[in-house]
Amino acid sequence: MPETAKPHWELAEQYDIIDMKLGTKIAGAGFPLFKGKGAKLQRALISFFLDEADKAGYLEIMPPHLVNAASAT
């Protein structure tokens, strides 16, 4: 790797596309907050992979985001 190369977390901060501190504040450690072009990139990647899964014959589902106690256990 060239010495001028930056890791992705530094690039995300430089281009202001991910806010790790705010993501952690909202949801806990390890949850980034995507914003601006970062959010658009995330949505585009999700859409691309869902389209590819659909072409491969998989059925897309959208489960509830909240669950009852029995489901969470």
Side-chain angles (χ1 to χ4, degrees), residues 2-60:
E3 290 186 28
T4 57
K6 293 182 180 180
H8 69 277
W9 55 87
E10 287 182 17
L11 290 171
E13 184 177 320
Q14 176 183 339
Y15 291 107
D16 197 29
I17 58 173
I18 297 175
D19 189 331
M20 291 301 294
K21 289 180 183 175
L22 187 53
T24 298
K25 191 174 186 180
I26 294 170
F31 291 94
L33 177 102
F34 295 93
K35 55 187 186 173
K37 290 183 180 179
K40 289 180 182 182
L41 175 61
Q42 182 76 355
R43 190 174 63 243
L45 287 169
I46 291 168
S47 181
F48 170 77
F49 284 108
L50 285 172
D51 289 345
E52 291 299 303
D54 185 56
K55 288 179 200 173
Y58 289 92
L59 174 66
E60 180 179 351

